[in-house]
Every structure is written in C-alpha cells, then in structure tokens.
Amino acid sequence: MPAAHIPIHAIKGRGAATRLAHRFSHDERSAYDDGWGTLEEGVAEAAELQPLATEVRFEDVKSVLNDNDSPDIPFDRSLNPYRGCEHGCIYCFARPTHSYLNLSPGLDFETKLIAKRNIVEVLRGEIGRKSYRPSHIAIGTATDCYQPIERELRLTRAVIELLRETRHPFALITKSSAVEHDLDLIAPMAAERLAAVYVTVTTLDGDLARKLEPRAAAPHRRLRTIRTLAEAGVPVGVSVAPQIPFVNEDMEQVLEAAWEAGARSAFYTVVRLPWEVAPLFKEWLALHYPQRADRIMARIHEMRGGKDYDADFATRMKGSGLWADLINQRFVKATNRIGFNRERIALDLTAFRPPGAVGQGSLF
C-alpha cells in the first residue's frame, strides 16, 4: 500500500495519513514505483512537510435538529455544531460526510472544519414552532461538540444557553475536557434532571490513544473530567466505543477506572468502517500496526459477515458472529460485576417552555 511509505512524524497530531479521494471524485491519485526512485522522493518530500494547519469555514444552515428513526439509536433528536473534527479519530464513522462537501474524508475531515455559525438562531426557530414537542436531544453524536475550536467559537455553549433558557433536556457526548468550562450551565440543569454527559474513553493506553485519537484529551484527563462532572452532580456515563479487536483490549480496566471516577452508566459499539473509513483505517493499520493488520481486519470481517462493514440496523452497532459475541459477553460481565446501568438516566421532558422571539421580554 503506497500510503504506508509516509513517515509517521510527517503526520504527527493527525489521524489520517493522506487526503484520500472521496467517493464522488472523478480523479484519484496514488503513489507508484516507476523504477526511478519515485517512492523514495515522495518519502523525502513528506518528511519535509510542515504540520498541517486547521482551517475553519463558516456556514449558515437551514435546519439543525436531526430526527432519528433508527431502531438501534436510543435518542430521538440530535444536533452537531460542527462538521469535521480536529480530534482526528481514525475510526470516526462521520468521516464520509465530508465527501458531500467535495472534501477528503481523510486529512480534510480533521483540518478543514465547518462551523454552523447560525445554529442558535435556527434552533430557536425550530423548538419555538407551535407544533414542536420536546424530546431528548443528543449533542455531538457525529462530531465532537467540544473539539478545540469550541474554545474560541463557543457554539456548543450558546446552544446549551438556549436549552437552559427553554428548560429543554439534553445529553452530550465528548472526548474533551473542555466540557468542564460549561459546568456553570450544565450542573444546574442536571440538578433539575435536564442534562447528562457521556465521556468516551476508548483505552487507558496513552500511546495508543495518541495514535488512535491524536487531538482528543489524554485518557487520564478524560477520567478527571468524569470525576469533575460527577462531583458537580451531573449524571455521567462512559462510552468504551469503539471496540477494535487486537487494538484496544483493556475494556474492563477502562470500565473500572470510569466507575471509580464517578460514571454510573456505560455503553459500547464495535468499530464501524463505512465508505471511505475502511481504506483510511487500513492505511492507519499499515502505518502503525503492520504486523497485526491482517489479523485485525480478519476479526472485523468476521463481525461484519465477511465485509469491511454491514449497515444493517440489527448488527451495525455490535456486529455479529463469535467475536462480536465475545466482546458483548466481556462488556456484560464487567458492567454487571462493577455495577453499571442499574439506574436509568431519566431526563424531564415536562419542564420545557417555548422560547420567546429574540429581544422579546417576559412578564413572568
């Protein structure tokens, strides 16, 4: 695989190794050996590359709430303030969405980010309709709502401020410690059963996390975030997703550490490789784990009916077959032993009050 010739230090801090052409591209370029040292020249050029800068673009959206009717997803609506994600998780199932923007699901996904600058105004209009009925909103289900650009743009905070104003329940999921900056909003809402937070901890191995999720918070920092949230009275859950055979093998240790930090609910999924995620993940394996790449992909194929991915609702989250069953058994035994998921996080849907028009005061 030509991409495996890229020096790892040339992509330091990024998950993908290349700007893989998206599935709608008319042209695709790849390295080749013409006998005149072409590949070696490419390696030398890559070694001289400067670190890739992050570029933020802005868009005005027409809608922000996504209705969910998938039977394997536990929330009714979701919203994502950003497209693309600087965390650079190589396994991210949202990478193929950059193809619709004529951008690469590879390096473009983590370096060319789209911020929905009018998200609060549009959301205010959507939840202010007479026909609107409150339902659970999940924030950050596709791309992380607390990725690094949130520190400056604060779109997620603005969304939470509107939800606080309207007493609308929500849950969010993140790999970032930046969620702590909004505890002044989240903790009071949590006290009224209007907010919950889930933190993803894929592994406790810092070296692996740096390769797998290069710009997300370190594992020990995520555990500290769980503790901070729990001590503030926020219901906290932990996601140990995705489970990747022969890559992150410390599920039980992650669950124990998360429980000790204060998480009381947990869930997992197995790795999903839709569309361009499959070749990107294979590039990543060839770069970081070439000796076990074939074995890892063989187990993934075993869970996906012999394919890189199967989008069937019944199996896409957990997989099927012997290996998927083994992962599920490990999760169930560990969570039962530790004490997870004994109480459901129930948010209050009855407190919602529709927003007033912008600039309109209230008599009450």
Side-chain angles (χ1 to χ4, degrees):
M1 182 180 298
H5 291 279
I6 298 171
I8 292 177
H9 67 265
I11 53 168
K12 184 178 180 180
R14 299 298 180 183
T18 62
R19 281 193 169 87
L20 181 80
H22 60 76
R23 60 189 180 279
F24 306 118
S25 297
H26 296 294
D27 302 307
E28 183 174 352
R29 299 178 181 181
S30 60
Y32 69 96
D33 186 0
D34 61 1
W36 295 99
T38 306
L39 290 178
E40 290 76 7
E41 289 176 5
V43 170
E45 291 174 0
E48 296 174 0
L49 288 176
Q50 296 299 313
L52 293 169
T54 300
E55 173 188 343
V56 181
R57 304 176 183 180
F58 295 92
E59 72 170 349
D60 293 315
V61 294
K62 296 181 179 179
S63 64
V64 297
L65 285 177
N66 304 301
D67 291 322
N68 165 56
D69 58 2
S70 302
D72 57 342
I73 296 178
F75 50 83
D76 303 311
R77 297 189 179 105
S78 66
L79 67 82
N80 296 279
Y82 305 103
R83 299 189 191 200
C85 186
E86 195 173 358
H87 284 166
C89 305
I90 190 58
Y91 52 75
C92 182
F93 65 86
R95 283 182 177 271
T97 60
H98 250 43
S99 300
Y100 299 114
L101 305 174
N102 199 30
L103 295 171
S104 167
L107 286 172
D108 285 350
F109 179 80
E110 50 196 279
T111 60
K112 299 185 188 313
L113 312 178
I114 315 297
K116 303 175 183 178
R117 60 185 170 190
N118 65 333
I119 188 170
V120 172
E121 292 80 5
V122 176
L123 179 60
R124 180 180 290 275
E126 290 181 342
I127 66 176
R129 294 171 183 158
K130 290 184 178 180
S131 60
Y132 182 78
R133 295 294 178 269
S135 187
H136 298 107
I137 293 178
I139 304 175
T141 55
T143 56
D144 204 303
C145 56
Y146 282 105
Q147 57 183 288
I149 58 172
E150 167 65 15
R151 297 190 187 103
E152 177 182 353
L153 300 182
R154 297 162 68 92
L155 294 181
T156 300
R157 181 176 178 87
V159 166
I160 295 174
E161 286 175 336
L162 174 58
L163 298 178
R164 180 188 62 173
E165 172 194 331
T166 58
R167 300 175 60 80
H168 195 301
F170 74 92
L172 65 85
I173 185 166
T174 184
K175 296 184 178 79
S176 174
S177 59
V179 64
E180 297 173 21
H181 299 166
D182 290 343
L183 259 179
D184 60 317
L185 301 175
I186 297 171
M189 292 186 71
E192 299 183 59
R193 296 193 298 119
L194 295 174
V197 175
Y198 293 83
V199 178
T200 299
V201 185
T202 317
T203 178
L204 298 180
D205 184 335
D207 290 335
L208 170 58
R210 193 175 293 112
K211 299 171 185 174
L212 200 61
E213 309 153 337
R215 295 203 174 192
H220 71 273
R221 186 64 182 86
R222 297 183 221 180
L223 291 173
R224 198 164 92 200
T225 294
I226 292 175
R227 186 177 301 278
T228 299
L229 291 165
E231 289 176 350
V234 178
V236 190
V238 63
S239 163
V240 291
Q243 290 298 304
I244 310 172
F246 304 125
V247 177
N248 54 332
E249 293 283 80
D250 57 346
M251 177 202 293
E252 291 83 357
Q253 290 76 18
V254 172
L255 289 168
E256 289 170 359
W259 176 271
E260 177 63 26
R264 290 298 179 263
S265 62
F267 72 91
Y268 82 97
T269 63
V270 299
V271 64
R272 297 163 60 186
L273 302 178
W275 298 106
E276 295 92 340
V277 185
L280 285 166
F281 185 73
K282 292 173 185 177
E283 278 185 353
W284 183 86
L285 287 176
L287 275 170
H288 297 283
Y289 298 104
Q291 296 85 0
R292 64 177 106 152
D294 289 342
R295 188 163 62 135
I296 293 167
M297 287 307 304
R299 297 291 77 76
I300 291 174
H301 289 162
E302 183 179 320
M303 293 191 293
R304 299 299 186 188
K307 299 179 290 185
D308 289 336
Y309 182 59
D310 186 349
D312 180 70
F313 283 146
T315 61
R316 64 175 180 167
M317 295 298 183
K318 302 296 177 62
S320 62
L322 177 60
W323 203 263
D325 291 343
L326 289 173
I327 292 174
N328 184 64
Q329 288 175 24
R330 289 175 56 199
F331 178 81
V332 171
K333 288 181 179 179
T335 52
N336 287 344
R337 171 176 55 81
I338 297 169
F340 279 105
N341 300 329
R342 292 184 180 172
E343 293 185 11
R344 181 174 174 269
I345 297 177
L347 301 180
D348 183 9
L349 294 171
T350 66
F352 174 71
R353 57 192 182 203
V358 175
Q360 177 180 326
S362 172
L363 296 176
F364 305 99

